Amino acid sequence: MNEVLLRSLTPSVLGILVRRGADFAAAEDAVQDALVEAVRVWPADPPRDPKGWLVTVAWRRFLDQARADTARRRREDLVDEEPAPGPAPSVDDTLQPYFLCAHPSLTPSSAVALTLRAVGGLTTRQIAQAYLVPEATMAQRISRAKRTVSGVRFDQPGDVATVLRVLYLVFNEGYSGDVDLAAEAIRLTRQLAAAIDHPEVAGLLALMLLHHARRAARTDPDGSLVPLAEQDRGRWDTDSIAEGVKILQAALARDRLGEFQAQAAIAALHADAPTAEETDWVQIVEWYDELVRLTDSPVVRLNRAVAVGEADGPRAGLAALAVLDASLPRHTAVAAYLHERDGDLATAAQLYAEAAQKAPNLAERDHLTRQAARLNTRRYR
């Protein structure tokens, strides 16, 4: 080992580290560590470029020490930042990702995609498969959403209603590709319910569980839709129903009614009926009245017309339907059903055929087409 060589190289190596940005004291320590390493390694494996070797090892030592110092200072800062004993602040950091992803500046589709990515932990490819779009398209959508909310501050309470709306949108996407979005929505809503004590969060979780409990009975093996009245109730998930009802009862007991609790109450009444004929339609109409009061939604009024038709007869249902906008989604299908209940098969068959033309998806279109064909067969026997 040529100690003279090491001593001669030390000033030069030290100068290089300082020029790279190391302060002099830290650079001295790093060079000393490099010299010690050289004494250990060089006798068995002398470098072809002694100066370059020393610079590389010394710079690595400096970087390691700088990272260690930064981490230590951060730990000390975290200790200083710990809140004083006493009541916890009203803002819960664990909820921030939900509120961020449901920010009002985002479109519903962007909010859902960002929620699945940032809160749900799904990959961009999984989300793209679920929405049947190219992965690059979904990546751009998520990137734009991230840029949109990148400067959002959380110094105000989050809008729980918006978060719940986004989670409900996720749930309604159901299943496509290799991602079960309904199950993912339930998982995310469970997380939210564990983090925030809010009756509407509980109401949404109950609603999801009660709807999801009927999933296995909603379609035939060939994929065709099975209406609620015709479903095999023995295939309903009784554990999910029991859990949903229990969660709903606890939420309703707090006497802070919201739309998701009211929707869950309607779903619970359907789940409670041993047969379709035993459904308590009078109570269901009452809950729809509450929903109308809470939301004033035309879609709620449309569903209420169906319930009125079951509770008070098809002509009462048609009267409730008559005051609604005929351009509402599924308005024609509801009219067809109520006319069939009233015995007007010709009008019902015509309306089922018209509704099939407006159906939002293939399964619903096929179902409505079969309904029209069924009535036409009955008429011409």
Side-chain angles (χ1 to χ4, degrees), residues 195-233:
I196 182 172
D197 183 20
H198 194 294
E200 271 292 82
V201 177
L204 178 58
L205 179 56
L207 176 63
M208 289 179 175
L209 290 169
L210 290 163
H211 277 321
H212 203 55
R214 302 199 300 263
R215 176 172 172 171
R218 283 201 184 100
T219 56
D220 280 333
D222 63 359
S224 58
L225 294 178
V226 180
L228 177 60
E230 300 172 20
Q231 289 176 13
D232 177 1
R233 299 186 178 217

Side-chain angles (χ1 to χ4, degrees), residues 45 86 134 153 178 209 238 325 364:
D45 185 19
R153 292 176 57 85
D178 65 350
L209 290 169
T238 54
D325 186 348
E364 193 167 334

Side-chain angles (χ1 to χ4, degrees), residues 17-361:
L17 263 64
V18 171
R19 287 194 296 275
R20 285 187 177 183
D23 65 84
F24 190 82
E28 274 192 320
D29 290 341
V31 171
Q32 288 300 317
D33 287 344
L35 294 175
V36 170
E37 186 68 6
V39 171
R40 186 182 69 84
V41 172
W42 283 12
D45 185 19
R48 282 180 290 185
D49 179 6
K51 180 178 177 181
W53 190 98
L54 285 171
V55 170
T56 299
V57 173
W59 184 247
R60 286 175 181 167
R61 291 289 192 276
F62 166 73
L63 291 178
D64 289 344
Q65 186 57 47
R67 292 189 188 103
D69 289 344
T70 299
R72 175 183 53 76
R73 285 194 298 272
R74 179 56 185 155
R75 288 193 297 271
E76 292 171 352
D77 290 342
L78 287 174
V79 170
D80 293 338
E81 293 169 6
E82 285 186 0
S90 59
V91 176
D92 184 348
D93 290 347
T94 63
L95 301 181
Q96 289 184 0
Y98 287 93
F99 296 126
L100 177 67
C101 296
H103 195 267
S105 61
L106 296 175
T107 64
S109 61
S110 295
V112 168
L114 190 57
T115 299
L116 290 171
R117 184 72 185 92
V119 183
L122 300 185
T123 65
T124 302
R125 174 173 293 182
Q126 287 175 315
I127 301 169
Q129 288 175 341
Y131 282 89
L132 304 178
V133 299
E135 184 176 356
T137 300
M138 185 56 69
Q140 291 174 355
R141 184 182 300 174
I142 294 172
S143 294
R144 285 196 297 269
K146 287 179 178 178
R147 287 196 297 272
T148 299
V149 300
S150 60
V152 172
R153 292 176 57 85
F154 287 98
D155 52 2
Q156 297 293 328
D159 183 2
V160 175
T162 304
V163 173
L164 296 182
R165 186 67 54 198
V166 170
L167 290 173
Y168 193 45
L169 286 172
V170 175
F171 180 79
N172 284 335
E173 289 299 329
Y175 175 88
S176 57
D178 65 350
V179 180
D180 186 339
L181 290 181
E184 181 63 17
I186 291 172
R187 186 182 72 82
L188 292 175
T189 307
R190 284 191 191 279
Q191 278 187 2
L192 187 61
I196 182 172
D197 183 20
H198 194 294
E200 271 292 82
V201 177
L204 178 58
L205 179 56
L207 176 63
M208 289 179 175
L209 290 169
L210 290 163
H211 277 321
H212 203 55
R214 302 199 300 263
R215 176 172 172 171
R218 283 201 184 100
T219 56
D220 280 333
D222 63 359
S224 58
L225 294 178
V226 180
L228 177 60
E230 300 172 20
Q231 289 176 13
D232 177 1
R233 299 186 178 217
R235 299 182 65 194
W236 290 0
D237 183 346
T238 54
D239 288 341
S240 291
I241 291 172
E243 182 185 4
V245 169
K246 182 178 179 181
I247 292 171
L248 173 63
Q249 288 174 339
L252 291 175
R254 301 177 64 176
D255 199 23
R256 289 170 55 195
L257 184 64
E259 62 175 296
F260 289 118
Q261 295 170 71
Q263 287 189 57
I266 293 169
L269 286 167
H270 283 299
D272 187 55
T275 65
E277 294 72 23
E278 296 173 86
T279 303
D280 190 343
W281 286 106
V282 173
Q283 269 206 76
I284 288 176
V285 171
E286 292 174 356
W287 277 111
Y288 272 121
D289 289 340
E290 290 287 352
L291 262 178
V292 168
R293 181 183 62 80
L294 289 165
T295 67
D296 196 28
S297 162
V299 174
V300 171
R301 291 181 184 275
L302 183 68
N303 291 332
R304 179 185 177 277
V306 177
V308 169
E310 298 289 353
D312 300 327
R315 295 196 178 182
L318 286 167
L321 186 67
V323 300
L324 301 178
D325 186 348
S327 66
L328 278 172
R330 297 186 173 88
H331 184 284
T332 307
V334 170
Y337 174 75
L338 291 171
H339 276 290
E340 180 185 356
R341 289 281 317 282
D342 195 37
D344 186 353
L345 301 189
T347 301
Q350 179 183 344
L351 289 170
Y352 275 130
E354 291 177 13
Q357 298 293 323
K358 306 173 185 177
N361 56 65

